[in-house]
């Protein structure tokens, strides 16, 4: 072959080189855009878990913990407590005492003097914290917040500034700070007796197990309940760990931890010499791309060989960084290199698929029938047509009773029946639950008869895998587009009709909202609007605690209408108060009747954000509660977090009026707004309800575990009960129970049920015991 590659090899080499170039450019752009930080943090956390090791034990953490706060029940503490701690620790032979506590404000003259004298007479060196902050008068410059002058005379100063990353986490640390030309070593540097370039930072070594750092309670030090040998010759770090005092920050591996623990981990990082040089992102990317380029240019790599090579490169990058970090040599970021390798594989597969693409693109993969692409191609060639669509209702139920092989037979039998309508045309399989065909113009004059025939074809069951399956189908037709034909079939199913023209759907949709508003009063009178209850389970006591009242509308003509449709519509029309009062009145009647069977149950009712600012509605709602036989304290009004944020002052007034009436207040969908626990503390509320978007994935998503656990802990510290909604499996329920969540709600416990079913299945002792033992 005269040393030349065959044409196919040249084509392969060309597409591989293009894939390599595009992958490298993409990876470089991702690096320059700062994308991949979360992925890099996950890799660092994973490596830290593999390399986990104990703390050095070279220093001791004296905690201002809950035990100390309870024993010394006044906060802020008198500075005489700190003076006593210095005397105790110095007397026991401590080498150094470092405080991570703000002393920048004056206490009483006597207390400041007593603390200063204790620092002066201490045999151990004492280190006090400073922090750099922006000048309030000139935001372009920084000033240093120092301990009061009396305390600085005989103490060393160290910076406690920390710098969150873009995700708000504290995963890196600096050797110190510079303010107006004054260099301050960091607190961790003083603790580790280590130094470094002030302008640089290093990654905190999260492979160090924080639980192995020796600790003592502050109150035990004051009361002398410590062993002298645990103090002698040690450096002592004093700081707050009690959740009530705040000063907590997120760190990628361990979640939200006290700030003093982050200082301790940074010091341990320096003590164990794992504050390594970081080569950054480029060297691994250059090495990986160069090695792969050699393989690509060789022209002799199959897809399998390339995939294997990519895996080998990726594993080599991981193994090498693991070895370097274990020995404290250096570290670097593998993410851009991994992005490059992954993008290369995707592009290579995409280009290979495009080369191999043929007529199979025009056929449904499962049924082998012509697909939507084929129908679009036919329409482009033949112009306009009457496009008919069949839609199978509740197709997901079919997935339960059929497998892939039986569905192939099912689809084939559906197509055979539809061929009777398509005559000599094709039957198209657009999606798993959607088929289509072209209705000839001569049938348009009597289209109703055409679809009567179509419906008749599906009166009898269809064979699937030897079994008979009865299908519920609806039809749609459009002379404009495939999409509009699909919409017509969906609207036909929604309206409970056999078939619909898209034009008819469009025309009827214009007045739909106004029509529903007109129908509301009649629906309330006819009982078309009713209440269902979703049980709420006490996770601590393992018993029913109550239920949430939810509204449902079963329209006489349109069938069931989703609350997601009619609630926003009623809010916009300023009619939401009528239906809310109806729900409240119905729930109060049911709650009063529950008292006989199960005393003490609660019932919660949702209050629209719009209604929170309507004082007349608030008074009507309170009057309904007070006029009912149900105890006020067993009624809960649920308001969304975002509703309270819209007008905080007005919200607080309304909620306070509700609580003054003895009605409980719950903040719903917590976590979806922008509020903080400190803001929620201002609200006159009794509980928070964590949004299901966080709860559903706590078993698989570690970040959501951290968020939910932290929210529960902080809510409890602030006196709130916690409800978690969206519990869909046993693992989620058990995890929330371990997190000490108070109340659980979700489909794993029960879907919303009618009042009759709720009474029969949940209030009768026998039925409830059967559920608990199931």
């Amino acid at each position: 072959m005269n040393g030349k590659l065959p044409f196919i090899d040249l084509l392969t080499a060309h597409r591989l080189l293009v894939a390599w170039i595009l992958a490298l450019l993409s990876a470089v752009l991702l690096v320059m855009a700062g994308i991949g930080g979360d992925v890099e943090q996950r890799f660092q956390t994973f490596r830290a878990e593999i390399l986990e090791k104990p703390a050095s034990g070279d220093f001791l953490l004296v905690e201002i913990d809950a035990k100390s706060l309870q024993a010394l029940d006044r906060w802020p503490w008198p500075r005489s407590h700190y003076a006593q701690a210095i005397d105790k620790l110095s007397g026991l032979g401590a080498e150094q005492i470092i405080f991570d506590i703000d002393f920048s404000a004056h206490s009483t003259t006597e207390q400041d003097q007593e603390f200063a004298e204790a620092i002066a007479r201490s045999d151990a060196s004492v280190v006090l914290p400073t922090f750099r902050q922006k000048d309030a008068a000139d935001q372009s410059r920084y000033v240093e917040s120092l301990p009061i002058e009396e305390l600085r005379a005989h103490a060393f100063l160290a910076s406690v500034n920390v710098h969150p990353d873009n995700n708000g986490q504290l995963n890196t640390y600096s050797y110190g700070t510079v303010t107006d030309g004054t260099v301050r070593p960091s607190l961790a540097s003083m603790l580790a007796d280590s130094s470094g370039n002030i302008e640089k930072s290093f990654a905190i070594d999260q492979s160090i197990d924080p639980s192995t750092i020796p600790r003592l309670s502050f109150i035990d030090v004051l009361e002398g309940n410590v062993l002298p040998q645990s103090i002698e010759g040690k450096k002592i770090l004093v700081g707050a760990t009690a959740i009530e005092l705040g000063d907590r920050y997120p760190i990628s591996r361990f979640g939200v931890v006290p700030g003093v623990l982050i200082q301790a981990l940074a010091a341990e990082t320096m003590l164990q010499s794992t504050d390594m040089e970081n080569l950054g992102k480029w060297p691994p990317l250059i090495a990986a791309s160069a090695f792969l380029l050699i393989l690509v240019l060789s022209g002799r790599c199959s897809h399998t060989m390339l995939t294997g090579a990519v895996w080998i490169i990726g594993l080599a990058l991981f193994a090498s960084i693991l070895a370097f970090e274990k020995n404290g040599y250096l570290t670097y970021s593998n993410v851009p290199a991994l992005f490059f390798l992954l993008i290369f594989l995707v592009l290579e597969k995409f280009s290979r698929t495009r080369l191999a693409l043929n007529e199979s693109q025009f056929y449904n993969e499962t049924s082998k029938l012509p697909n939507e692409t084929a129908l679009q191609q036919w329409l482009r060639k033949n112009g306009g047509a009457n496009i008919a669509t069949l839609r199978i209702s509740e197709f997901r139920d079919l997935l339960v009773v059929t497998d892939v092989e039986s569905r192939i037979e099912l689809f084939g039998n559906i197509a055979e029946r539809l061929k009777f309508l398509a005559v000599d045309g094709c039957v198209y399989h657009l999606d798993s639950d959607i088929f289509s065909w072209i209705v000839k113009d001569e049938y348009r004059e009597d289209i109703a008869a055409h679809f009567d025939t179509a419906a008749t074809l599906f009166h009898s069951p269809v064979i699937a895998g030897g079994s008979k399956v009865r299908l519920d189908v609806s039809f749609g037709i459009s002379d404009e587009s495939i999409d509009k034909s699909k919409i017509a079939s969906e609207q036909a199913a929604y309206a409970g009709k056999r078939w619909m023209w898209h034009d008819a759907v469009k025309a009827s949709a214009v007045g739909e909202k106004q029509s529903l508003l007109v129908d509301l009063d009649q629906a309330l009178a006819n009982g078309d609007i009713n209440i269902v209850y979703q049980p709420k389970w006490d996770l601590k006591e393992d018993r029913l605690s109550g239920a949430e009242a939810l509204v449902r509308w079963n329209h006489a003509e349109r069938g069931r209408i989703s609350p997601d449709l009619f609630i926003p519509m009623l809010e916009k029309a300023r009619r939401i108060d009528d239906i809310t009062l109806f729900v409240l009145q119905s729930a109060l009647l049911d709650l009063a009747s529950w008292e006989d069977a199960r005393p003490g149950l609660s019932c919660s009712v949702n209050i629209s954000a719009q209604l929170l600012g309507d004082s007349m509605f608030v008074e009507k709602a309170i009057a309904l509660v007070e006029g009912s036989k149900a105890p006020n304290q067993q009624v809960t009004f649920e308001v969304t977090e975002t509703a309270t944020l819209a007008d905080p002052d007005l919200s607080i007034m309304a909620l306070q009026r509700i609580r003054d009436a003895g009605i409980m207040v719950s903040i719903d969908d917590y976590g979806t707004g922008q509020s903080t626990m400190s803001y929620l503390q201002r609200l006159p509320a009794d509980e928070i309800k964590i949004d299901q978007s966080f709860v559903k994935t706590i078993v698989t998503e570690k970040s959501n575990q951290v968020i939910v656990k932290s929210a529960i802990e902080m809510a409890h510290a602030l006196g709130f009960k916690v409800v978690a909604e969206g519990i869909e499996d046993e693992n989620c329920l058990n995890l929330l129970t371990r997190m000490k969540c108070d109340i659980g709600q979700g489909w794993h416990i029960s879907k919303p049920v009618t009042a009759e079913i709720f009474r029969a299945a949940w209030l009768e002792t026998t039925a409830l015991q059967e559920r608990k033992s199931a």
Side-chain angles (χ1 to χ4, degrees), residues 449-489:
H450 182 83
F451 284 113
D452 285 343
T453 302
T456 302
L457 291 173
F458 289 92
H459 282 170
S460 59
V462 181
I463 303 298
S467 301
K468 294 181 178 181
V469 177
R470 187 170 294 278
L471 300 179
D472 181 13
V473 298
S474 59
F475 303 95
I477 185 168
S478 170
D479 55 8
E480 298 179 48
S481 71
I482 299 171
D483 287 343
K484 290 182 178 180
S485 177
K486 290 180 183 178
I487 293 170
S489 65

Side-chain angles (χ1 to χ4, degrees), residues 15-206:
R15 70 178 179 84
L16 289 178
L17 185 59
V18 170
W20 182 90
I21 293 171
L22 291 176
L24 183 59
L25 288 174
S26 299
V28 170
L29 289 174
L30 288 173
V31 172
M32 295 177 68
I35 296 173
D38 287 343
V39 179
E40 179 62 39
Q41 204 59 65
R42 289 176 184 269
F43 277 129
Q44 288 179 5
T45 300
F46 179 56
R47 296 196 301 271
E49 290 171 350
I50 295 174
L51 299 174
E52 185 172 275
K53 54 183 176 287
S56 65
D58 288 355
F59 63 87
L60 182 71
L61 176 59
V62 173
E63 300 180 275
I64 300 176
D65 53 9
K67 174 183 174 183
S68 302
L69 290 180
Q70 187 174 6
L72 306 170
D73 60 356
R74 172 185 167 194
W75 185 264
W77 285 342
R79 288 183 176 166
S80 57
H81 291 339
Y82 304 118
Q84 293 173 41
I86 290 176
D87 290 339
K88 294 278 189 181
L89 293 170
S90 177
L92 291 172
E95 176 188 336
Q96 188 180 50
I97 305 169
I98 302 178
F99 286 93
D100 185 16
I101 302 167
D102 182 16
F103 296 117
S104 60
H106 283 277
S107 178
T108 66
T109 303
E110 295 78 9
Q111 289 289 325
D112 291 342
Q113 186 62 32
E114 185 174 348
F115 189 25
E117 289 172 356
I119 295 172
R121 64 175 172 262
S122 173
D123 292 330
S125 59
V126 177
V127 180
L128 300 180
T130 76
F131 56 93
R132 189 179 76 154
Q133 57 186 346
K134 284 188 175 181
D135 189 343
D138 183 0
Q139 292 290 307
S140 65
R141 64 185 293 268
Y142 286 88
V143 295
E144 188 174 19
S145 182
L146 299 166
I148 61 174
E149 187 175 357
E150 296 94 311
L151 305 181
R152 299 200 300 263
H154 298 282
F156 295 95
L157 301 183
S159 168
V160 292
N161 279 91
V162 290
H163 307 285
D165 57 23
N166 292 335
N167 295 325
Q169 296 180 338
L170 295 178
N171 297 311
T172 58
Y173 195 86
S174 62
Y175 293 99
T177 58
V178 179
T179 309
D180 285 343
T182 301
V183 177
R184 298 287 186 199
S186 65
L187 185 147
S189 295
M190 294 284 284
L191 188 59
D193 195 18
S194 180
S195 61
N197 189 333
I198 296 293
E199 302 300 324
K200 289 188 176 181
S201 60
F202 59 88
I204 296 173
D205 186 356
Q206 297 186 48

Side-chain angles (χ1 to χ4, degrees), residues 489-502:
S489 65
E490 185 175 16
Q491 291 297 323
Y494 175 77
K497 295 185 178 181
R498 184 176 294 169
W499 69 277
M500 273 191 175
W501 271 103
H502 178 266

